[in-house]
Amino acid sequence: MVFPKQIRFYGKKKANYFNSIQMKKLFRPESSFEISFMLQQEFDDDVTAWAGQAQSFVFNIKGKSTRYTPDIIRKRKTPEGQEIEIIELKPNIFANNESVYTKHQLLSEQFLDRYNRPLTVHTEVDFYKPIKAENLFRFYQYRAYDFSRYDIDLAFTHLTDVKCVGDLYEKCSLFNVTPAFAPALIAQKKVKVDFEQPFSLDLPLEVNYG
């Protein structure tokens, strides 16, 4: 999948499913924007649980019954402890619309009154980066890779001098492992790369295992 600079919207009828490895559930994002955010939840070590459009809430706003379903609800580790966040994903061009902004403010007040936490609106300015989204998508399938069948400690004794992705792939090709071993090391952050940089074999890499 190539993530465009311009956000693509699929709509409910054309939306694809997102298979969350972390949560072991299927979610249905409606845009490349939402897929990017979901991928980031999977790669964020501080996010302990999350769900996409999992629960609807009914509020009485200005005398009218209003049903609202947040795009994301997540539980995240903070210095103060676990925090539950209620998130609306909205492209900046819509979020800054006066009527949309007013709606979000009213909803946020309702969430504060009932659950003591606000509705947080995230736009592409906060997180949407096409290169990073492409890289997370590239490595996402390897988040589920099982290293338990290998002596990972022994493997890393041979990886101390790797400096880039090409070095890693070359070294791992000499091991008695599957071809997915090297990209899984990246996906599961046993080695560190900058996902915001274009992917190439020359991409710098840092061994941070152990």
Side-chain angles (χ1 to χ4, degrees), residues 27-208:
F27 300 111
R28 203 170 190 184
E30 296 178 13
S31 68
S32 58
F33 187 66
E34 291 186 18
I35 292 174
S36 176
F37 196 82
M38 289 180 176
L39 282 168
Q40 291 186 52
Q41 307 318 297
E42 296 283 292
F43 279 85
D44 190 335
D45 295 332
D46 290 331
V47 174
T48 58
W50 70 275
Q53 298 191 3
Q55 182 177 353
S56 293
F57 300 85
V58 178
F59 299 116
N60 189 297
I61 299 178
K62 295 184 176 180
K64 293 183 179 180
S65 180
T66 301
R67 179 178 294 274
Y68 171 70
T69 305
D71 289 318
I72 301 286
I73 298 177
R74 72 180 178 186
K75 184 181 290 186
R76 196 166 186 270
K77 290 184 290 186
T78 71
E80 293 74 33
Q82 292 277 357
E83 179 180 274
I84 295 176
E85 297 177 285
I86 303 166
I87 297 170
E88 170 74 16
L89 301 174
K90 190 71 68 176
N92 207 42
I93 190 172
F94 299 135
N96 287 331
N97 177 279
E98 184 176 353
S99 63
V100 173
Y101 177 81
T102 300
K103 175 186 175 182
H104 290 157
Q105 289 296 105
L106 291 171
L107 285 168
S108 188
E109 290 172 6
Q110 295 290 326
F111 277 110
L112 276 170
D113 287 343
R114 188 180 296 182
Y115 302 106
N116 198 32
R117 54 180 55 89
L119 172 69
T120 304
V121 179
H122 289 263
T123 72
E124 66 271 30
V125 176
D126 302 315
F127 74 92
Y128 188 76
K129 299 176 181 179
I131 290 176
K132 183 176 181 179
E134 286 182 29
N135 282 329
L136 296 186
F137 185 82
R138 179 194 304 274
F139 288 103
Y140 180 58
Q141 62 180 307
Y142 304 109
R143 294 285 291 177
Y145 189 80
D146 182 10
F147 284 106
S148 64
R149 67 189 116 165
Y150 304 115
D151 187 339
I152 194 74
D153 294 323
L154 177 61
F156 269 92
T157 64
H158 300 281
L159 299 176
T160 55
D161 59 344
V162 299
K163 301 298 182 184
C164 65
V165 170
D167 291 344
L168 178 69
Y169 279 43
E170 182 178 1
K171 287 278 188 178
C172 291
S173 70
L174 304 176
F175 299 165
N176 184 23
V177 296
T178 67
F181 187 88
L185 291 176
I186 297 173
Q188 298 186 29
K189 300 183 181 179
K190 298 183 185 300
V191 297
K192 183 180 179 181
V193 300
D194 185 353
F195 286 120
E196 294 186 13
Q197 298 300 315
F199 178 77
S200 74
L201 294 178
D202 295 323
L203 183 65
L205 176 150
E206 178 184 343
V207 177
N208 58 352

